[in-house]
């Protein structure tokens, strides 16, 4: 192993220092981690903070680069955002109607949610196309179709789209072709200040949408039905600033839980909640013992993980696509054959070639992967392709004997706060290294 270095989010991520993560694996975990606040809930809340001209405060906000990137986009358009000690403060009183540029949209996909907020606030917005993303094509056609139903006229140019409404946005009945998380959030953002009632049919039901709607209700919005496939929004004339305590990130929970499931051993995951995330069921299928505490979950794995004959990623309440790479890493050492079907994003299987490099036995055809468990994985030099494949590789690295170096770790910091320190809290040997 090379000499470890300390990690600083601002210097290492925002100003482009190249880092890698080195893990010396093969030992069981033992320790305790506190689960960070939810990435996928805070990003739409940040967009929602632009709907009013008062101050919004979000506590327990994770220190991850997606939050900082979203804050930079908001500052580009006149928002004032500060972050200190997990407290995010947003003042949108001086917001201007500036266009949202390509560089920003590519840096942070969730910036497309600013379309809904800007339409609600100014009745118009110009945004460069989000373009491709490393986990597959991620179009915004559902978002655009919905805005058109609300009276927005869209002009599509080669590189950007202009959305404009001559009068106030109008509530509408919108049936989504697929329960898209981003489209549901964007429609809600546009609808809370629209005239009349908006009814979203086939809405996404993810827990992050539920928390986001609670947050908006605290701001004064009138919303019903979140968590079901029908969300009904009665537009109001004004929203006000709030102070919000962000809930735990269920995918970060699943990530550290999968480290226990794959490496063996035991850990206490503190979530500050008395309701365990639904994803806990997959841990039982993998053979983990689970005990619920008052503010967390104790997980123990005493044997090789069980294989899972078949599992498919689906919109909530199905198994999350964001957990797929994490589960695949664990199944590499199961005592049998497992099948994973990826039902949402087509490019999530690029991690397979990295896992093979570590000794995994995986075949795949199209979106179906067959994982035959092996008794040992070994360390290798591997590269993250996206946020969750990076996390999957860290799990595999903990399970593998010898040293694994995970390159392109900046993807991992998009969604995980202090991931190396968290692995150390679990008793794993992990360190940051500066790339030459
Ligand atoms: C959100 C999550 C991401 C998660 C994903 C699926 C955030 C910040 N990100 O992403 O972590 O993996 O949900 O749970 O919350 N689609 C279209 N047209 C559209 C919109 C989506 O065809 O206009 C398709 C996508 O290509 C994809 C599927 O719908 O195949 C789901 O995408 P969506 O739910 O919108 O994902 P995101 O909101 O981008």
């Amino acid at each position: 192993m090379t000499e470890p270095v300390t990690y600083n989010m601002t210097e290492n991520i925002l100003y482009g220092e190249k880092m890698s993560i080195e893990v010396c694996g093969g030992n069981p975990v033992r320790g305790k981690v506190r689960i960070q606040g939810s990435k996928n809930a805070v990003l739409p809340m940040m967009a929602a903070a632009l709907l009013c001209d008062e101050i919004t405060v979000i506590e327990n906000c994770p220190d991850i680069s997606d939050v900082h990137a979203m804050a930079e986009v908001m500052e580009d358009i006149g928002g004032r955002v500060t972050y200190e000690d997990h407290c995010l403060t947003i003042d949108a009183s001086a917001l201007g109607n500036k266009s949202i540029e390509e560089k920003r949209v590519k840096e942070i996909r969730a910036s497309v949610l600013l379309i809904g907020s800007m339409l609600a606030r100014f009745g118009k917005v110009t945004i460069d196309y989000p373009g491709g993303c490393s986990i597959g094509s991620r179009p915004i056609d559902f978002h655009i179709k919905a805005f058109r139903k609300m009276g927005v006229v869209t002009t599509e140019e080669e590189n950007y789209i202009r959305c404009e409404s001559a009068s106030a946005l109008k509530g509408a009945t919108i049936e989504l072709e697929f329960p898209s998380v981003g489209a549901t959030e964007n429609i809600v953002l546009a609808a809370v200040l629209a005239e009349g009632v908006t009814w979203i049919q086939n809405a996404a039901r993810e827990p992050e949408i539920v928390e986001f709607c609670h947050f908006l209700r605290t701001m004064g919005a009138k919303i019903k039905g979140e968590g079901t496939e029908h969300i009904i929004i009665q537009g109001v004339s004004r929203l006000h600033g709030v102070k919000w305590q962000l809930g735990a990130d269920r995918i970060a929970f699943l990530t550290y839980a999968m480290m226990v499931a794959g490496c063996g051993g035991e850990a206490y995951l503190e979530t500050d909640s008395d309701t365990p995330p639904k994803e806990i069921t997959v841990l039982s299928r993998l053979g983990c013992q689970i005990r619920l505490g008052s503010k967390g979950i104790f997980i123990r794995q005493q044997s090789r993980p069980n294989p899972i004959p078949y599992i498919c990623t689906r919109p909530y309440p199905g198994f999350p696509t964001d957990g797929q790479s994490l589960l695949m890493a664990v199944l590499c050492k199961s005592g049998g054959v497992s099948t994973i079907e990826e039902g949402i994003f087509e490019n999530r299987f690029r991690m397979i070639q990295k896992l093979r490099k570590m000794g995994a036995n995986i075949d795949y055809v199209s979106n179906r992967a067959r994982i035959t468990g092996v008794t040992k994985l070994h360390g290798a030099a591997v590269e993250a392709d996206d946020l969750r494949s990076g996390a999957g590789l860290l799990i595999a690295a903990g399970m593998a004997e010898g040293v694994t170096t995970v390159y392109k770790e900046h993807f991992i910091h998009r969604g995980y706060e202090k991931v190396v320190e968290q692995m150390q809290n679990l008793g794993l040997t992990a360190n940051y290294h500066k790339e030459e």
Side-chain angles (χ1 to χ4, degrees):
M1 292 179 91
T2 49
E3 196 61 26
V5 293
T6 49
Y7 185 83
N8 174 303
M9 163 78 83
T10 316
E11 281 175 21
N12 300 125
I13 294 294
L14 300 182
Y15 300 111
E17 280 258 41
K18 281 205 169 151
M19 306 283 282
S20 59
I21 298 176
E22 232 174 59
V23 180
C24 185
N27 296 312
V29 306
R30 178 180 287 272
K32 181 167 107 170
V33 289
R34 189 177 177 281
I35 302 302
Q36 66 187 54
S38 166
K39 168 179 95 71
N40 285 358
V42 77
L43 294 171
M45 287 178 193
M46 291 176 77
L50 302 189
L51 294 170
C52 73
D53 56 10
E54 294 178 15
I55 291 179
T56 300
V57 177
I58 303 173
E59 293 176 335
N60 193 34
C61 177
D63 192 4
I64 54 176
S65 63
D66 265 12
V67 164
H68 297 294
M70 187 75 167
E72 285 192 14
V73 190
M74 290 167 62
E75 287 188 334
D76 278 355
I77 55 175
R80 279 191 288 259
V81 188
T82 58
Y83 183 85
E84 209 184 328
D85 197 16
H86 297 101
C87 181
L88 185 75
T89 305
I90 302 165
D91 174 359
S93 55
L95 198 70
N97 186 27
K98 299 209 182 114
S99 62
I100 301 160
E101 289 166 17
E102 184 190 353
K103 175 177 172 285
R104 297 304 195 193
V105 184
K106 287 223 157 74
E107 263 168 21
I108 170 90
R109 155 92 188 173
S111 56
V112 298
L113 298 176
L114 301 176
I115 306 179
S117 308
M118 298 284 273
L119 280 173
R121 187 99 185 251
F122 299 107
K124 56 183 175 182
V125 63
T126 302
I127 184 164
D128 287 358
Y129 282 117
C133 169
S134 57
I135 54 170
S137 73
R138 295 175 87 177
I140 54 165
D141 51 326
F142 303 158
H143 308 227
I144 300 301
K145 275 187 212 161
F147 293 141
R148 286 190 189 131
K149 284 201 92 173
M150 298 177 81
V152 173
V153 176
T154 57
T155 319
E156 297 181 40
E157 302 290 345
E158 202 180 330
N159 297 322
Y160 67 89
I161 180 158
R162 191 165 43 238
C163 305
E164 202 160 355
S165 171
S167 53
L169 263 57
K170 303 272 184 300
T173 298
I174 297 157
E175 184 172 1
L176 289 172
E177 290 159 52
F178 182 88
S180 153
V181 171
T184 302
E185 291 164 347
N186 230 340
I187 299 165
V188 171
L189 286 163
V192 284
L193 291 174
E195 272 177 9
V197 175
T198 299
W199 176 11
I200 311 175
Q201 300 174 347
N202 199 23
R205 291 181 276 167
E206 270 67 4
E208 293 77 19
I209 303 238
V210 173
E211 186 175 356
F212 168 60
C213 289
H214 285 185
F215 171 86
L216 277 164
R217 232 180 352 249
T218 314
M219 290 179 80
K222 288 194 175 161
I223 306 176
K224 288 196 301 200
E226 71 276 7
T228 76
E229 55 199 36
H230 296 275
I231 300 183
I232 297 170
I233 305 122
Q234 164 76 61
V236 295
S237 56
R238 195 168 180 274
L239 295 175
H240 53 80
V242 286
K243 190 171 191 183
W244 186 261
Q245 182 74 19
L246 190 65
D249 190 310
R250 69 191 162 107
I251 305 298
F253 164 82
L254 195 59
T255 305
Y256 298 114
M258 288 292 184
M259 286 186 188
V260 186
C263 302
E266 55 188 49
Y268 191 72
L269 308 185
E270 274 181 20
T271 62
D272 282 345
S273 155
D274 44 17
T275 341
K278 198 192 152 295
E279 290 69 28
I280 205 162
T281 51
V282 78
L283 299 167
S284 307
R285 291 180 75 185
L286 290 167
C288 295
Q289 293 162 273
I290 293 156
R291 200 159 32 83
L292 302 185
S294 59
K295 289 285 175 205
I297 296 159
F298 176 79
I299 302 170
R300 176 185 285 151
Q301 173 73 298
Q302 285 172 309
S303 54
R304 262 175 99 176
N306 295 336
I308 295 189
Y310 174 79
I311 191 165
C312 181
T313 64
R314 291 271 181 254
Y316 196 85
F319 185 70
T321 176
D322 286 348
Q324 191 259 104
S325 312
L326 318 174
L327 177 62
M328 184 180 284
V330 174
L331 291 174
C332 288
K333 268 180 82 176
S334 83
V337 179
S338 309
T339 299
I340 299 184
E341 190 178 316
E342 172 53 55
I344 301 190
F345 288 117
E346 66 272 23
N347 282 359
R348 291 258 202 216
F349 280 172
R350 284 183 306 169
M351 191 183 72
I352 291 176
Q353 50 172 313
K354 323 291 163 73
L355 292 173
R356 283 180 182 153
K357 224 175 148 185
M358 299 175 74
N361 181 354
I362 310 175
D363 302 310
Y364 73 102
V365 176
S366 177
N367 65 339
R368 210 176 245 256
R370 185 169 178 272
I371 305 126
T372 306
V374 293
T375 49
K376 276 185 186 174
L377 293 176
H378 54 79
V382 288
E383 233 177 49
D385 293 306
D386 59 69
L387 165 61
R388 303 302 171 189
S389 79
L393 290 174
L394 290 181
I395 296 170
M399 294 160 59
E401 286 177 19
V403 177
T404 297
T405 307
V406 180
Y407 292 97
K408 298 208 173 160
E409 55 85 54
H410 61 89
F411 282 121
I412 303 173
H413 291 287
R414 289 188 44 202
Y416 293 93
E417 175 172 338
K418 292 200 163 86
V419 71
V420 162
E421 290 81 346
Q422 292 284 59
M423 291 178 76
Q424 291 167 352
N425 291 339
L426 289 178
L428 292 166
T429 308
N431 285 296
Y432 297 107
H433 290 269
K434 208 179 261 189
E435 285 178 43
E436 296 310 320

